[in-house]
Amino acid sequence: IPVDPFDLVIFGATGDLARRKILPALFRRFCAGQMEGGSRVIGAARSDLDRAAFHEVVRSAIAEFVTDGRNDPATTEAFLETVDYVTLDARGDTGWDALAARIDPDRVRAFYFSVGPSLFGDLALRLHRHGMAAGKARIVVEKPFGRDLATAQALNATLAQHFREDQIYRIDHYLGKETVQNLMAIRFGNMLFEPLWNSQYVDHIQFTVAETVGVAGREEYYDRAGALRDMVQNHMMQLLCLIAMEPPAKFEPSAVRDEKLKVIRALDPVKPQDIVRGQYLPDDDKPGYLEHVGDPTSTTESFVALRAHVSNWRWAGTPFYLRTGKRLKARTSEIAVVFKDAPHSIFGAEAGRHRNILTIVLQPNEGIELGVTIKEPGPGGMRLIDVPLDMSFAEALGPESGMVADAYERLIMDVVRGNQTLFMRGDEVEAAWAWTDPIIAGWEERGEAPLPYDSGSSGPVEALALMHKDGRRWREIR
Ligand code: BG6
């Protein structure tokens, strides 16, 4: 879909996120022809660079992080024609007039705050003061959006002094993932699933986001956050919302976000016995969590598993199990909707227990799998087996199908188009903190330390018990 010419300013343009995600995403959109008609990217940061020196930063980011072969030198140089740089002080007035002079006041202008949240207020204020906040201005803010309800409310209030809610795009990159969006297409575009999508037919739902990496390189941030703040309050909460929400009347921002908010508000408080936190141990050649953060007394969790309940008519009695962690045995993200047993087996007890499971795989191979029960082929009588009806997007639609597009590409283009559907509204973020805050407060009050788990495992054994005690089990992390 074509977009009108735009100006996109990246604050923190020399930082890690800009190099790894934002600049490569813009480059790929450039390759796709979405930066025609004079769209511009303006890097802004404190470093005193000239345009040529910033181009060097962009060149190296493209060389390193665009890995699909599109980064040939001629295309990179053509992209650089659109890229400019301004040295700027977020906390002072240096550079702001120069930035304002480079921006076309009639165009869509997006300001990407790829900086720590402590600078959000300063940036918002100066954009306003230098006349860049009005009209078609939009700001994009990254997580962490606060570290609890109070700080999130303060951030929302600060931004609201200078920008309307419809100008604020709070990014959660999970919402830009192809399969996550497909979740809505599957639920609301098919007749097949929605009638079964409730506690009468769904036994439970499992959400797993397992990573093999540790926290090396981001120790400082991570040790102050932990898995609950880093992954559950935002990404996993968003997945849960999309799975649990009622059908919005339209696929448009306020309708979708209203429904998500209702889910968050319907979540019961998590009981202490329904949550397990862990911390990875060293293995043969790699340090453990405590060595990584250099603090033997750290009680930050690198793993969390919990049982949640959405208390409403649709979901009463269907538990939602969530788990996420670092240094686990494989990198997998999936949501498994496990349906109940058929009410009566006409095949007798020996046929065993068979369940339909709809698995939505976010990573590594995006796709959807539906486990169905069939007769085992052959003359051996009526023996039942489970087989997958499997759809890998890349296989079904081809690698060029756009499935490989990065979440950031999609989300940045949504900002330019002015579509907030896949961004979090201020009240959603606050409601999510209101749910996580008491969990963290409980850990602190009880002085609870995380349980150790082996690197390369599925997390602490106690996390397995969380489901076993309900007569259920986690799916294999593979
Ligand atoms: C980030 C978290 O938001 O998401 C990281 O801060 C995590 O800790 C990452 O590794 C996971 O994203 P993805 O897209 O690789 O699953």
Side-chain angles (χ1 to χ4, degrees):
I1 314 171
V3 288
D4 292 337
F6 59 89
D7 288 343
L8 190 140
V9 178
I10 309 171
F11 295 116
T14 52
D16 194 49
L17 181 73
R19 292 189 65 251
R20 274 188 308 114
K21 295 289 185 187
I22 307 171
L23 290 164
L26 286 164
F27 174 75
R28 288 199 212 92
R29 288 297 90 203
F30 173 83
C31 296
Q34 288 198 313
M35 285 190 55
E36 279 162 10
S39 290
R40 284 175 306 187
V41 176
I42 302 166
R46 215 169 28 183
S47 316
D48 189 12
L49 305 177
D50 60 12
R51 188 167 187 256
F54 183 61
H55 279 187
E56 216 22 73
V57 173
V58 181
R59 244 183 235 115
S60 82
I62 292 172
E64 189 174 349
F65 298 109
V66 178
T67 49
D68 54 11
R70 280 186 278 183
N71 55 354
D72 59 275
T75 318
T76 304
E77 294 312 307
F79 174 64
L80 289 175
E81 292 290 306
T82 70
V83 179
D84 209 344
Y85 183 79
V86 177
T87 304
L88 179 127
D89 179 7
R91 295 217 154 105
D93 281 315
T94 316
W96 288 90
D97 286 335
L99 178 63
R102 264 176 242 197
I103 284 187
D104 183 338
D106 297 325
R107 282 186 177 183
V108 164
R109 15 181 225 293
F111 300 96
Y112 202 122
F113 291 12
S114 178
V115 295
S118 60
L119 291 180
F120 288 0
D122 294 293
L123 292 176
L125 168 73
R126 287 189 170 76
L127 283 171
H128 179 78
R129 205 183 265 169
H130 293 268
M132 288 179 272
K136 289 188 261 179
R138 285 146 207 184
I139 58 172
V140 186
V141 295
E142 271 289 337
K143 68 175 270 263
F145 198 86
R147 54 176 284 106
D148 53 23
L149 176 59
T151 48
Q153 282 171 330
L155 265 181
N156 277 332
T158 306
L159 296 180
Q161 285 172 11
H162 308 294
F163 291 90
R164 299 181 311 271
E165 181 64 29
D166 67 9
Q167 294 179 291
I168 305 172
Y169 289 71
R170 295 176 195 77
I171 265 199
D172 184 311
H173 79 279
Y174 265 57
L175 290 178
K177 287 184 191 278
E178 185 69 22
T179 328
V180 175
Q181 294 178 54
N182 229 324
L183 197 57
M184 283 185 278
I186 290 165
R187 277 195 64 192
F188 306 127
N190 294 288
M191 195 52 211
L192 201 57
F193 301 112
E194 204 47 30
L196 305 179
W197 211 259
N198 56 54
S199 59
Q200 199 182 340
Y201 298 103
V202 177
D203 179 73
H204 72 278
I205 304 176
Q206 302 187 16
F207 299 75
T208 299
V209 178
E211 297 183 278
T212 51
V213 292
V215 299
R218 7 188 352 240
E219 301 84 354
E220 206 186 312
Y221 153 75
Y222 196 92
D223 202 41
R224 283 175 40 77
L228 191 74
R229 285 193 177 97
D230 184 51
M231 294 296 290
V232 178
Q233 185 272 346
N234 38 69
H235 307 321
M236 298 193 79
M237 176 68 83
Q238 290 295 322
L239 299 181
L240 187 152
C241 284
L242 297 181
I243 286 279
M245 71 183 184
E246 295 302 314
K250 285 196 183 118
F251 187 58
E252 60 99 59
S254 47
V256 171
R257 300 193 297 178
D258 285 349
E259 294 307 334
K260 286 197 293 168
L261 181 62
K262 286 184 208 160
V263 173
I264 307 175
R265 291 193 171 149
L267 280 168
D268 282 345
V270 176
K271 300 195 185 92
Q273 64 271 28
D274 284 347
I275 185 159
V276 172
R277 53 200 304 247
Q279 211 178 50
Y280 60 84
L281 292 166
D283 63 6
D284 299 341
D285 50 350
K286 294 207 184 96
Y289 183 82
L290 296 177
E291 290 78 33
H292 265 146
V293 298
D295 174 6
T297 64
S298 170
T299 57
T300 304
E301 78 285 354
S302 60
F303 174 97
V304 68
L306 62 91
R307 179 171 68 173
H309 291 279
V310 179
S311 273
N312 61 19
W313 273 53
R314 187 190 280 262
W315 293 117
T318 295
F320 289 64
Y321 298 94
L322 278 59
R323 68 177 161 170
T324 182
K326 306 277 184 199
R327 297 295 317 274
L328 297 178
K329 72 198 254 202
R331 179 167 192 255
T332 319
S333 301
E334 62 164 45
I335 304 167
V337 181
V338 181
F339 290 90
K340 289 189 172 168
D341 293 338
H344 165 71
S345 170
I346 64 167
F347 305 111
E350 66 280 8
R353 201 167 94 155
H354 296 272
R355 285 190 158 177
N356 297 123
I357 302 180
L358 176 70
T359 314
I360 298 136
V361 184
L362 278 56
Q363 244 141 233
N365 303 312
E366 298 191 307
I368 288 158
E369 188 184 291
L370 180 63
V372 292
T373 302
I374 62 162
K375 176 189 167 299
E376 188 178 43
M382 192 48 113
R383 291 165 63 93
L384 303 185
I385 53 167
D386 293 331
V387 293
L389 280 179
D390 189 356
M391 185 179 114
S392 143
F393 291 161
E395 265 172 41
L397 305 168
E400 293 304 314
S401 59
M403 300 310 158
V404 288
D406 189 81
Y408 278 87
E409 284 178 61
R410 260 182 227 112
L411 293 176
I412 291 172
M413 285 300 127
D414 277 356
V415 174
V416 171
R417 291 193 189 98
N419 184 349
Q420 289 187 303
T421 312
L422 298 174
F423 295 81
M424 292 177 296
R425 206 166 53 193
D427 50 4
E428 267 183 82
V429 178
E430 289 182 12
W433 281 122
W435 181 72
T436 38
D437 275 3
I439 301 177
I440 296 168
W443 288 337
E444 283 168 5
E445 262 163 41
R446 296 189 298 276
E448 226 171 86
L451 303 160
Y453 62 93
D454 289 333
S455 292
S457 70
S458 302
V461 282
E462 288 79 356
L464 304 180
L466 188 71
M467 284 193 83
H468 285 170
K469 69 182 185 202
D470 292 345
R472 303 184 172 101
R473 61 194 161 85
W474 290 105
R475 286 162 59 79
E476 188 71 13
I477 295 179
R478 62 199 147 95

